[in-house]
Amino acid sequence: MTDHFLCCHCERSEAISRTTKVRRFGLILLLSLWLTPAHAHKPSDSYLALSLHGDQLTGQWDIALRDLDYAIGLDADGNGEITWGEVKAKHEEIVAYVLARLMIATDGARCAISITEHLIDNHSDGAYEVMRFAVDCPAAPRVLTIKYTLFFDLDPQHRGLLRLEEQGRTHTAVFSPDRETWQLEGQSVGLGSQFRDFSRPGSGISGPASITSCSFAPCCSLQCWSTVAGDGKP
């Protein structure tokens, strides 16, 4: 009888131990799943729109606030909400960070980029910093070179979506870690007739850079990328 009691006691102890281990494993698994989103970074896009009229080149760049927050930190109080005040306080840092990762050149000479306006826009996937800028180039371009490296070191899935308008034409391209540099060449000033693209040796680019569809972007007009009127407050 005593042996039977001890045996039952041992079986109950082993069952309790197994249950405890299962519960502990389940708790660890749930914690792992809960913590993962906090460190994961959603693949993203930014939208770079350029407009060329004669020798005047202007642009607008829409960059997700969540990406900028991930890269340089925008949420000063750490409450999970990014306000216009927090973005405004980081304007200089944002400009320094992103312009270090965008190069525009004409005929081999680098152009100066100056930000003319900061705004906030709401896209379907969240709020975006919108920077409008002017590009000061030495001369009207016959060969326009654009190099884009924003966020590639942090997020290999990031893509830069380019839209260039010139003389009534629209040209589009996609920047990625293996396609950082695009060169666009035309026979006439302003990238006129026989617009084509090519890459520098060693850039890792193959195939056409200029595509006619906008299937990769949520929209293909500046109306879709329009900014908030006024002072840019969300």
Side-chain angles (χ1 to χ4, degrees):
M1 183 73 176
T2 302
D3 291 341
H4 176 71
F5 174 78
L6 290 174
C7 183
C8 291
H9 178 72
C10 290
E11 289 177 353
R12 285 197 298 271
S13 297
E14 290 176 0
I16 291 172
S17 178
R18 286 195 299 270
T19 302
T20 301
K21 289 179 180 178
V22 170
R23 287 177 178 174
R24 187 177 299 165
F25 176 77
L27 180 60
I28 292 172
L29 181 61
L30 286 173
L31 284 173
S32 299
L33 293 173
W34 180 70
L35 289 173
T36 298
H39 298 282
H41 183 58
K42 178 183 177 296
S44 63
D45 300 322
S46 84
Y47 304 93
L48 179 62
L50 298 176
S51 180
L52 182 62
H53 298 284
D55 60 352
Q56 299 297 314
L57 183 61
T58 58
Q60 176 173 308
W61 199 358
D62 292 26
I63 306 171
L65 291 184
R66 65 175 181 276
D67 294 333
L68 289 169
D69 184 44
Y70 185 78
I72 61 176
L74 300 179
D75 186 10
D77 56 14
N79 68 350
E81 297 180 358
I82 300 173
T83 66
W84 168 247
E86 289 172 328
V87 175
K88 188 176 181 180
K90 289 279 191 173
H91 276 171
E92 290 186 6
E93 189 172 345
I94 291 171
V95 170
Y97 182 83
V98 302
L99 291 190
R101 291 158 178 81
L102 177 67
M103 187 274 290
I104 300 175
T106 57
D107 304 329
R110 187 163 186 162
C111 305
I113 302 174
S114 56
I115 305 301
T116 58
E117 193 171 18
H118 288 273
L119 299 164
I120 295 292
D121 188 20
N122 288 315
H123 290 229
S124 60
D125 59 343
Y128 278 63
E129 157 79 2
V130 177
M131 288 181 292
R132 291 176 176 170
F133 57 89
V135 184
D136 184 14
C137 296
R142 289 184 59 84
V143 178
L144 178 68
T145 302
I146 304 170
K147 183 173 183 180
Y148 177 110
T149 59
L150 183 68
F151 301 136
F152 289 158
D153 57 334
L154 302 176
D155 181 6
Q157 301 303 313
H158 176 78
R159 297 293 181 266
L161 309 183
L162 171 67
R163 176 170 169 269
L164 170 66
E165 289 188 345
E166 54 86 27
Q167 297 186 5
R169 301 176 180 86
T170 298
H171 311 279
T172 58
V174 182
F175 294 102
S176 64
D178 60 347
R179 292 192 174 192
E180 295 180 349
T181 303
W182 299 98
Q183 285 188 328
L184 310 174
E185 182 182 15
Q187 287 188 342
S188 65
V189 172
L191 309 180
S193 61
Q194 298 188 10
F195 182 93
R196 67 183 181 89
D197 64 90
F198 60 94
S199 62
R200 289 182 175 176
S203 67
I205 302 174
S206 61
S210 180
I211 50 181
T212 56
S213 71
C214 293
S215 58
F216 59 84
C219 59
C220 289
S221 67
L222 285 176
Q223 285 74 26
C224 296
W225 304 348
S226 61
T227 52
V228 178
D231 60 0
K233 295 181 180 179

